[in-house]
Amino acid sequence: MNAMAGTRDAFEARLRRIGAERYHDRHPFHVMLHSGGCSLDQVRAWVVNRFYYQSRIPMKDAAFLSRVEDPALRRAWRSRIEDHDGTETREGGIARWLKLAAAVGLDPDYVASARGVMPATRFAVDAYVRFVRDAPLVPAVAASLTELFAPKIHAERIAGLLEHYDFATPETLAYFRHRLDEAPKDVAFGLGFVLDRAVSPAEQDAAAAALVFKTDVLWAQLDALHAAYVAPGRIPPGAWQPGEGMAS
Amino acid sequence: MNAMAGTRDAFEARLRRIGAERYHDRHPFHVMLHSGGCSLDQVRAWVVNRFYYQSRIPMKDAAFLSRVEDPALRRAWRSRIEDHDGTETREGGIARWLKLAAAVGLDPDYVASARGVMPATRFAVDAYVRFVRDAPLVPAVAASLTELFAPKIHAERIAGLLEHYDFATPETLAYFRHRLDEAPKDVAFGLGFVLDRAVSPAEQDAAAAALVFKTDVLWAQLDALHAAYVAPGRIPPGAWQPGEGMAS
């Protein structure tokens, strides 16, 4: 909690510090994944669960759109949905993610069904969708600012996966490459929106808390993955088991 | 998914089987807790996080009440809120839980503040409150039927804690003793309600799915506790650390 509002630069620095301290690139599961330390089944568990997050992002963005009265703001935001869902002529991020699923030997229909997703993943991701549906607009946008920190993790992921795993090719990793192009445009808009509108101490605190919340959403997903599939390796009832949902 | 609706007895057996297979008395954290295998700090972590669940139960019940048109049903359900929040003359379950917090050396005000609760705990518990607020009434009640399985775990907990921990006395464990009296009355009502109203295959499937969902809510809380405070013992950013929130 700040007693005084920060200047625009100080507030941006405050937001960036949240990423430096809490973004999930610091989580041991990501370190394992990028350094080749994950077994193929651990990569599959990540693909199955992370798909659930991907699949909810356009629903989250639609929930945001549904609350915006300003057509210009809706127009600026709408491309996010197209980026994930695709258009008549352009494949979207979800289809690209399912190519990664196929590349690691999973049946894309199984992954798309979201059967096998851990409850802990659903709870965290659903909390994010609900937050964006219910919170005031500025915190709702601030929660998306983890995109400030995403290009670094995507670049590391492309390089790390290409180096360590046979399934990784420019085609199977196309999701991440596209996000490298899409995220900077989205985040420039979102960051400007938040810096312009969160000017009082309470508004800045609420925006910072929203960004902390979002880092919690991402971190909790990796904590659950790590506990279920790395150590202690206790898979929750009903969640994906190695061997399930494989391409025939 | 059942193609045919079960008889009343078969449907009750189906619900009870869900508990036998998925209730959190099967989780290793509970086994540790009841057998004296938890350190005092691990008990504290459980008290801090489980308080968040307790604190949301009357909010969940109020969300349910807010959707019930039948005064008789509201009247039957309302005692749950009184059991947790207390009355002018009678202490409630939340106050009893805070006595347990004090008994393990925590500052009850710290525990009541819910600072230090893990995000994974919040995500799971909030998902339950939201489910009861949004789902049709029969699944909303069916989710509460984990109470069918609670008396056994509460009796084991009282016996196990009394045997293994100095902080455990009839006074500090009063929460669980009261639940032994309260839960059977609640669950008899809830079970009758669900068995009476879920008669089609789709209604029975929805009620069973709600009970599975609730077992996931409970299991995910213990998975998060175990991962953070037992193995691998990675406490998420911002969550309670041993030494924090102690009574002075």
Side-chain angles (χ1 to χ4, degrees):
Chain A
M1 225 72 83
N2 279 355
M4 292 168 44
T7 62
R8 189 179 171 100
D9 282 353
F11 181 44
E12 178 173 343
R14 180 181 175 190
L15 296 174
R16 291 188 181 276
R17 211 156 47 234
I18 291 169
E21 290 171 1
R22 305 175 64 119
Y23 190 55
H24 63 169
D25 61 340
R26 301 170 60 96
H27 196 285
F29 191 89
H30 268 175
V31 178
M32 280 179 67
L33 181 67
H34 300 165
S35 64
C38 280
S39 70
L40 196 50
D41 276 331
Q42 289 165 340
V43 175
R44 288 172 181 142
W46 172 69
V47 168
V48 165
N49 281 277
R50 173 79 187 194
F51 175 80
Y52 188 72
Y53 177 75
Q54 304 299 148
S55 76
R56 263 46 192 174
I57 294 300
M59 295 167 68
K60 178 272 293 182
D61 286 318
F64 180 77
L65 275 194
S66 77
R67 304 174 51 221
V68 172
E69 297 182 354
D70 173 7
L73 176 53
R74 286 201 304 270
R75 216 155 33 231
W77 204 265
R78 199 187 60 208
S79 65
R80 292 169 180 250
I81 301 180
E82 289 162 12
D83 286 345
H84 275 84
D85 286 342
T87 65
E88 292 294 312
T89 56
R90 201 158 45 81
E91 191 178 57
I94 288 178
R96 285 186 207 108
W97 190 267
L98 292 176
K99 287 189 180 168
L100 175 62
V104 297
L106 290 162
D107 175 359
D109 289 339
Y110 172 83
V111 175
S113 78
R115 291 197 312 277
V117 170
M118 287 188 287
T121 305
R122 289 181 190 272
F123 297 150
V125 171
D126 293 354
Y128 179 38
V129 178
R130 188 174 75 257
F131 181 85
V132 173
R133 193 167 58 209
D134 296 343
L137 290 189
V138 174
V141 173
S144 74
L145 295 183
T146 46
E147 285 167 341
L148 282 167
F149 323 119
K152 177 172 166 286
I153 208 173
H154 284 158
E156 287 172 0
R157 193 171 290 157
I158 292 171
L161 294 178
L162 283 173
E163 181 179 347
H164 295 293
Y165 295 98
D166 288 342
F167 69 80
T169 69
E171 288 71 40
T172 62
L173 301 184
Y175 174 82
F176 304 109
R177 190 172 36 79
H178 275 82
R179 289 306 299 161
L180 284 177
D181 298 334
E182 293 159 357
K185 146 187 78 82
D186 289 345
V187 80
F189 181 85
L191 180 63
F193 184 88
V194 170
L195 295 179
D196 287 348
R197 305 212 186 185
V199 293
S200 76
E203 288 165 344
Q204 293 188 350
D205 286 346
L211 185 54
V212 167
F213 161 79
K214 174 67 174 305
T215 62
D216 286 341
V217 166
L218 298 172
W219 190 273
Q221 289 178 69
L222 293 189
D223 258 358
L225 261 177
H226 193 276
Y229 297 100
V230 183
R234 186 180 46 253
I235 300 173
W240 180 78
Q241 299 273 354
E244 276 179 18
M246 302 303 290
S248 52
Chain B
M1 227 70 83
N2 280 353
M4 292 169 41
T7 63
R8 188 180 172 99
D9 283 354
F11 180 45
E12 179 172 342
R14 180 181 176 191
L15 296 174
R16 289 187 182 276
R17 211 156 46 235
I18 291 168
E21 289 170 2
R22 304 176 64 119
Y23 191 56
H24 63 168
D25 61 340
R26 301 169 61 97
H27 195 285
F29 190 89
H30 268 175
V31 177
M32 280 179 67
L33 181 67
H34 299 165
S35 64
C38 280
S39 70
L40 195 50
D41 276 331
Q42 288 165 340
V43 174
R44 288 172 182 141
W46 171 69
V47 168
V48 165
N49 281 277
R50 172 81 187 194
F51 175 80
Y52 188 73
Y53 177 75
Q54 304 301 148
S55 76
R56 262 46 191 175
I57 294 301
M59 295 167 68
K60 177 271 294 181
D61 287 317
F64 180 77
L65 275 194
S66 77
R67 304 173 51 221
V68 172
E69 296 182 356
D70 173 7
L73 175 54
R74 286 201 303 271
R75 218 157 29 233
W77 204 265
R78 199 187 59 211
S79 66
R80 292 170 180 250
I81 301 180
E82 289 161 13
D83 286 345
H84 274 85
D85 287 342
T87 65
E88 291 295 313
T89 57
R90 204 159 43 82
E91 191 179 56
I94 289 177
R96 285 186 207 106
W97 190 267
L98 293 176
K99 286 189 180 168
L100 175 62
V104 298
L106 290 162
D107 175 359
D109 289 340
Y110 173 83
V111 175
S113 77
R115 293 198 311 277
V117 170
M118 287 187 289
T121 305
R122 290 181 189 271
F123 296 150
V125 171
D126 293 354
Y128 179 39
V129 177
R130 187 175 74 256
F131 181 86
V132 172
R133 192 168 57 208
D134 295 343
L137 290 189
V138 174
V141 173
S144 75
L145 295 184
T146 45
E147 285 167 342
L148 283 167
F149 323 118
K152 178 172 167 285
I153 208 174
H154 284 157
E156 286 172 1
R157 193 172 290 157
I158 292 171
L161 294 178
L162 282 173
E163 183 180 345
H164 295 291
Y165 295 97
D166 289 340
F167 69 79
T169 68
E171 289 69 41
T172 61
L173 302 184
Y175 174 83
F176 304 109
R177 188 169 41 77
H178 275 81
R179 289 306 298 159
L180 284 178
D181 299 334
E182 293 159 357
K185 146 187 78 85
D186 289 345
V187 80
F189 181 85
L191 180 62
F193 183 88
V194 171
L195 295 179
D196 287 347
R197 305 213 185 182
V199 293
S200 75
E203 288 163 346
Q204 292 188 352
D205 286 346
L211 185 54
V212 166
F213 162 79
K214 175 66 175 302
T215 62
D216 287 341
V217 167
L218 297 172
W219 190 274
Q221 289 176 68
L222 292 189
D223 259 357
L225 261 176
H226 194 278
Y229 296 102
V230 183
R234 185 181 47 253
I235 301 172
W240 180 77
Q241 299 274 353
E244 275 178 20
M246 302 303 289
S248 53

